[in-house]
Amino acid sequence: MKENTVKFDKVLNAKTENRNVNHEPDSSKEQQRNTPEKSMPFSDQIGNYQRNIGIPLKSYKDSKVYIIGSGIAGMATAYYFIRDGQIPAKNIIFLEQLHIDGGSLDGAGNVKDGYIIRGGREMDMTYENLWDMFQDIPALEMPAPYSVLDEYRLINDNDSNYSKARLIHNKGEIKDFSKFRLNKKDQLAIIKLLLKKKEELDDLTIEDYFSESFLSSNFWTFWRTMFAFENWHSLLELKLYMHRFLHAIDGLNDFSSLVFPKYNQYDTFVTPLRNFLQEKGVTIEFNTLINDLDILINTDGKLVKGIIAERDGKELKIPIGKEDYVIVTTGSMTEDTFYGDNKKAPVITIDNQTSGKSGGWKLWKNLATKSEVFGKPEKFCSNIEKSSWESVTLTCRPSALVEKLSEYCVNDPYSGKTATGGIVTITDSSWLMSFTCNRQPHFPEQPDDILVLWVYALFMDKEGNYIKKTMPECTGDEILAELCYHTGIIDQLDNVIQNTIIRTAFMPYITSMFMPRAKGDRPRVVPEGCKNLGLIGQFVETNNDVVFTMESSVRTARIAVYELLNLNKQVPDINPLQYDIRHLFKAAKTLNDNKSFLGEGILRKVLKGTYFEHILPPNVEEDEEHESFLTEQVSKFKDWLTGVKE
């Protein structure tokens, strides 16, 4: 690419270390200081300055890129190879074991057979990498020059998201969800967790750390059902989530901090991104299972020499040249999904002795035998009792269920506007069942008189309150009966069954990425010594981002491209709102159910009438006056410090 920068040769040649770029800077370790040596942005300095086009070290016109897996991580990798690596799109080949693209971002079906979505993704405005990409992807329905981001903004800017029925109980009665109900001890435990170093939390579970009072609080009900955490999941991942979404904590109970798409995740994101990539010239080869990589490992490093694949029952070996690149999606959260319908329960036949042996895990397991830098996949796919749950998609004609649903919606569910605003959780369900109605239609071709609902539950080993079976043992009609029981319309079950098509999906590994882990269990995006191999998706290590989000998939893709090509670009760390004192104050008050946090009174007196007065959260209560107010606050602060240091 020398001809592109010829006018800049003097300045480029003056700085010999210019190519020693930290492509994945870490804000949790960086002291942000401006020095003569500091030329690139701070680790989490997001914004348009990061939108520069990278300068490749050389031309890649003869390089081929093989991307194993066509989920959002794989597609994002192709996008960044094209945009920033300037690799010709025709040189990029997807190898996909399924017959369809999109990976876990699915959405399919029709009104006759019923629609199906195995899950959804809560979205946030701070997904900097996701929006960096989708601001360049042409919109699904709007004409040029509008993008997917423009469509997303258009719907959410004009239709605020919130819930009026976040919790229900007593056979359909809306339960008060205004408070977190955390006692002082549990609030302090959260603060202590935020203060802990990540290295202290290897292999610890949430229930290892938190008390029973925390685990029975409204806060934990909101959190676990929204993000699909279980008590036995990783305490480290919970900590990362708390940092990642600190700014959204005051919208945790009513979902006012979330933004949702117009349609399901496949039509909203996968379809326009795939169209963009195919129009550029990429190739997608379906029904191609990748079993292993032929890797040369010596003192010079690790170089992929070939891809060992299987297509139409025949082994296929794809040679990889020195100038080629291989990108692997490690693991799969939706691998080995078992399906059912109205009359059939999912037939669960795998167990922990045979788990993790299918195509979505086999490649990673084979890589792990070659070197410890490829991680320990068995930590994530060997305990399906703790990594599984079941989801259900309802295709609904008008019925008693639809009428009942309307009571929980902020708008008419047929209006195209926000309906339930997120999941409605049944707190006295022994399955801990939740359901949601997103904006309708949920599919572009969905008829106007049809609603698509989604249901899921966290506890797979408990009998239902009405149907005395575990959820995976139930047919779709039986799950529908359990839902009708909890919404108080069991006497109208026949009407509901007659007008509802059920499609169920039991997923053994759906929360496997949350399993307790230690350093080294997940590989880095570009493992040590790898010359032409990058790993992407939900089972690779990043500095501070969380898993189970589209943002983390895109982040790993971007890191892989920048690192392998050694571009003069960085992937900014997560949005720095966790360090913003305004959000720290807001979080402290929110955790205390909007009662004054320790020291708030002093701060209000000091900042009153100053430029910084607005950094404090709204004061919804009148502070009581005390003669020894200052002495009291100082005493409390000393007690708090003692508690933190214990």
Side-chain angles (χ1 to χ4, degrees), residues 115-134:
Y115 295 97
I116 185 166
I117 39 176
R118 286 181 291 186
R121 303 292 180 270
E122 277 109 2
M123 304 293 290
D124 194 270
M125 298 177 189
T126 65
Y127 288 175
E128 304 300 336
N129 295 288
L130 182 79
W131 301 129
D132 174 79
M133 177 173 67
F134 277 111

Side-chain angles (χ1 to χ4, degrees), residues 32 227-228 316 429 463 522:
Q32 298 195 352
F227 294 121
L316 172 70
S429 162
E463 286 188 352
R522 301 191 314 196

Side-chain angles (χ1 to χ4, degrees), residues 6 36 88 124 144 214 268 278 294 323 339 352 360 418 448 515 527 540 571 592 623 637:
V6 64
D124 194 270
F214 173 87
T268 298
Q278 287 185 320
D294 178 13
E323 302 299 317
Y339 296 99
N352 289 323
T418 294
D448 292 340
M515 294 297 286
V540 292
V571 181
N592 201 30
D623 292 330
F637 185 64

Side-chain angles (χ1 to χ4, degrees), residues 426 428-432 462-469 482 485-486:
I426 305 166
D428 52 359
S429 162
S430 58
W431 292 348
L432 196 54
K462 309 295 184 185
E463 286 188 352
N465 301 86
Y466 182 76
I467 301 293
K468 301 303 180 181
K469 297 180 181 180
E482 188 76 9
Y485 170 79
H486 282 295

Side-chain angles (χ1 to χ4, degrees), residues 49-86:
Y49 196 73
Q50 300 278 25
R51 283 279 290 175
N52 61 302
I53 296 176
I55 304 296
L57 290 175
K58 59 183 180 180
S59 170
Y60 295 101
K61 65 181 180 65
D62 296 321
S63 295
K64 288 188 175 181
V65 176
Y66 293 91
I67 301 174
I68 300 171
S70 64
I72 188 67
M75 288 190 174
T77 305
Y79 167 81
Y80 283 109
F81 267 125
I82 295 168
R83 191 192 78 176
D84 288 330
Q86 299 180 38

Side-chain angles (χ1 to χ4, degrees), residues 68-338:
I68 300 171
S70 64
I72 188 67
M75 288 190 174
T77 305
Y79 167 81
Y80 283 109
F81 267 125
I82 295 168
R83 191 192 78 176
D84 288 330
Q86 299 180 38
I87 290 182
K90 63 182 177 62
N91 293 9
I92 300 175
I93 302 101
F94 283 96
L95 302 174
E96 171 58 59
Q97 75 172 98
L98 302 176
H99 68 283
I100 190 172
D101 54 6
S104 297
L105 291 183
D106 59 358
N110 54 65
V111 70
K112 178 179 178 292
D113 303 313
Y115 295 97
I116 185 166
I117 39 176
R118 286 181 291 186
R121 303 292 180 270
E122 277 109 2
M123 304 293 290
D124 194 270
M125 298 177 189
T126 65
Y127 288 175
E128 304 300 336
N129 295 288
L130 182 79
W131 301 129
D132 174 79
M133 177 173 67
F134 277 111
Q135 68 179 293
D136 290 341
I137 305 304
L140 179 69
E141 295 181 325
M142 296 176 69
Y146 293 102
S147 69
V148 171
L149 174 59
D150 295 323
E151 285 186 326
Y152 210 98
R153 287 290 305 268
L154 185 67
I155 191 113
N156 283 281
D157 291 354
N158 292 280
D159 180 28
S160 297
N161 190 81
Y162 66 97
S163 170
K164 75 172 191 180
R166 176 65 180 88
L167 305 177
I168 64 172
H169 65 162
N170 294 339
K171 298 181 181 178
E173 177 186 334
I174 296 176
K175 184 178 181 180
D176 178 21
F177 59 94
S178 61
K179 298 184 184 303
F180 285 171
R181 305 193 187 284
L182 287 166
N183 62 37
K184 300 293 185 186
K185 178 183 174 183
D186 293 327
Q187 292 177 47
L188 184 59
I190 293 174
I191 294 171
K192 285 183 175 180
L193 180 61
L194 291 171
L195 293 174
K196 283 184 179 294
K197 291 185 176 181
K198 293 177 286 186
E199 293 76 14
E200 301 175 41
L201 306 178
D202 282 358
D203 284 325
L204 289 177
T205 68
I206 293 163
E207 58 192 355
D208 285 338
Y209 177 81
F210 282 107
S211 68
E212 182 56 39
S213 59
F214 173 87
L215 298 175
S216 60
S217 68
N218 269 7
F219 174 88
W220 186 234
T221 299
F222 296 143
W223 192 282
R224 74 187 311 184
T225 55
M226 177 177 174
F227 294 121
F229 274 92
E230 304 274 18
N231 293 359
W232 51 80
H233 280 155
S234 166
L235 180 63
L236 171 58
E237 192 63 31
L238 176 61
K239 171 184 169 64
L240 294 175
Y241 258 78
M242 287 183 169
H243 286 280
R244 186 71 166 90
F245 297 109
L246 183 76
H247 63 280
I249 198 166
D250 58 331
L252 182 63
N253 59 332
D254 66 359
F255 293 131
S256 58
S257 57
L258 298 181
V259 284
F260 284 106
K262 179 181 179 182
Y263 297 125
N264 65 84
Q265 56 198 2
Y266 185 86
D267 286 303
T268 298
F269 298 111
V270 176
T271 297
L273 182 53
R274 180 201 61 235
N275 291 344
F276 172 85
L277 294 174
Q278 287 185 320
E279 288 173 7
K280 289 286 185 180
V282 303
T283 301
I284 304 179
E285 297 183 3
F286 295 111
N287 302 309
T288 303
L289 174 64
I290 309 303
N291 291 318
D292 204 355
L293 300 181
D294 178 13
I295 303 179
L296 174 64
I297 301 178
N298 55 30
T299 55
D300 292 331
K302 303 172 182 67
L303 186 71
V304 179
K305 304 285 288 183
I307 298 174
I308 301 169
E310 186 179 319
R311 185 182 297 159
D312 299 327
K314 298 178 181 178
E315 185 172 290
L316 172 70
K317 185 167 183 180
I318 303 170
I320 302 298
K322 289 185 178 181
E323 302 299 317
D324 298 339
Y325 296 93
V326 176
I327 306 296
V328 173
T329 307
T330 55
S332 170
M333 69 177 80
T334 51
E335 186 76 3
D336 293 327
T337 299
F338 294 87

